[in-house]
Amino acid sequence: MAHQRRPGPRLSSSGYEEDIAPSTPTATPPSSAPPTADLDPGSWPALLAPRLAQFAGVARHEHVTRAAHEMNVPQSTLSRAMVRLEQDLGVALFARKGRTVSLTPAGRAFLTSVEGALAEVERAAESVRADADPASGKVAFGFLHTMGSETVPELIRAFRADHPRVRFQLVQNYGEAMLEGLRAGELDLCLTSPIPEAPDLVARRLDEQRLRLVVPDDHRLAGRRRVRLAEASDETFVTLEPGYGLRRITDDLCEAAGFRPRVAFEGEEAETLRGLVAAGLGVALLPPPAVARPGVVELTVTAPRAVREVGVAWLDGHPDTPPVAAFKRFLLSRRGHLLPD
């Protein structure tokens, strides 16, 4: 039994230079619309989009000449465009009497959806224009959890002294997730560590931060100020989960000190680890806290050199809006002075 093919958009046979439309259909409109528009040359969105505003204008005025004058197009061009729209849809949208027109029931139903679609386009256009405004646009900025309490608030405060109306969309996450956010177009810039090396990204070193061995205040090393990391080789560690930059740095430093850490807990946030150290669950390599925490002692690691480099990354070849470009320049101007001493 032969299956009947549902016809695609039917194009009118006559063509006019003033009325832009594809010459051949190449796609069948789906029976249930997908969440994103089909932009194949013969699809309904590609076919109808150039004429929707014209249709709405004629419907609003119920007069072709007045609509043509408002839209600054020849009346003959607009008339032909409406005829072709009806031919392509296979539905009469207007009842005509001279140059005066009135909507048919099908035309009125079509107008309701068209006006909604045009309003969405208007809102989308205004939104992207507002986000790119040099004075009040938006920056989508990602940063590590460990920089949320002090570093990032200070950066934004200093930047907004000269750019008070710029808006920020902030994302706090671990490094790999932020790099994926850059690639997905969800972030403009991110502060991360270690500094990524990837062909599709650009990264610039901004600063480095010393890491400390954090131990309980009743630990055997708690009376020391400095320690070699190898002296903690028999300790149990609490660390961030795999995929976090600080976890990778911890593993690399322990390897350089000649051991592989025994891990009692893997978390997502440095201050949680500091609290677990205070509870005696283990020791940890962590950046300095914004506020000293009771119950722990923070030791300087003399060997190997325990630091993490912090940098800013963005997608290579991705054009910057003016507010993003301004914030990027600001971050780069803070080289060597990004982090508190």
Side-chain angles (χ1 to χ4, degrees), residues 215-283:
V215 301
D217 60 7
D218 59 355
H219 191 271
R220 63 182 177 85
L221 297 173
R224 304 265 297 274
R225 295 182 60 188
R226 295 177 176 80
V227 65
R228 290 178 294 107
L229 189 56
E231 295 179 73
S233 60
D234 293 333
E235 301 291 335
T236 299
F237 278 71
V238 292
T239 73
L240 296 180
E241 294 178 351
Y244 283 70
L246 188 56
R247 170 61 181 272
R248 192 192 326 167
I249 294 169
T250 296
D251 289 346
D252 289 346
L253 287 171
C254 290
E255 182 180 356
F259 69 97
R260 182 175 181 177
R262 290 183 295 113
V263 176
F265 175 80
E266 295 173 330
E268 298 180 351
E269 203 272 325
E271 286 310 301
T272 298
L273 301 185
R274 201 171 251 107
L276 293 175
V277 171
L281 191 61
V283 302

Side-chain angles (χ1 to χ4, degrees), residues 301-317:
V301 178
T302 58
R305 187 168 183 266
V307 298
R308 67 169 179 172
E309 290 188 327
V310 177
V312 58
W314 60 88
L315 194 62
D316 191 19

Side-chain angles (χ1 to χ4, degrees), residues 155-168 330:
L155 285 173
I156 292 177
R157 184 202 64 77
F159 176 74
R160 295 189 73 185
D162 294 323
H163 304 81
R165 294 170 55 208
V166 168
R167 295 169 288 122
F168 282 87
F330 170 78

Side-chain angles (χ1 to χ4, degrees), residues 40-55:
D40 288 341
S43 66
W44 285 123
L47 177 67
L48 300 179
R51 305 181 199 146
L52 295 184
Q54 293 176 330
F55 165 74

Side-chain angles (χ1 to χ4, degrees), residues 35 52 112-128:
L52 295 184
T112 299
S113 295
V114 166
E115 287 180 330
L118 293 175
E120 284 298 317
V121 171
E122 177 75 14
R123 282 191 287 271
E126 289 303 319
S127 176
V128 296

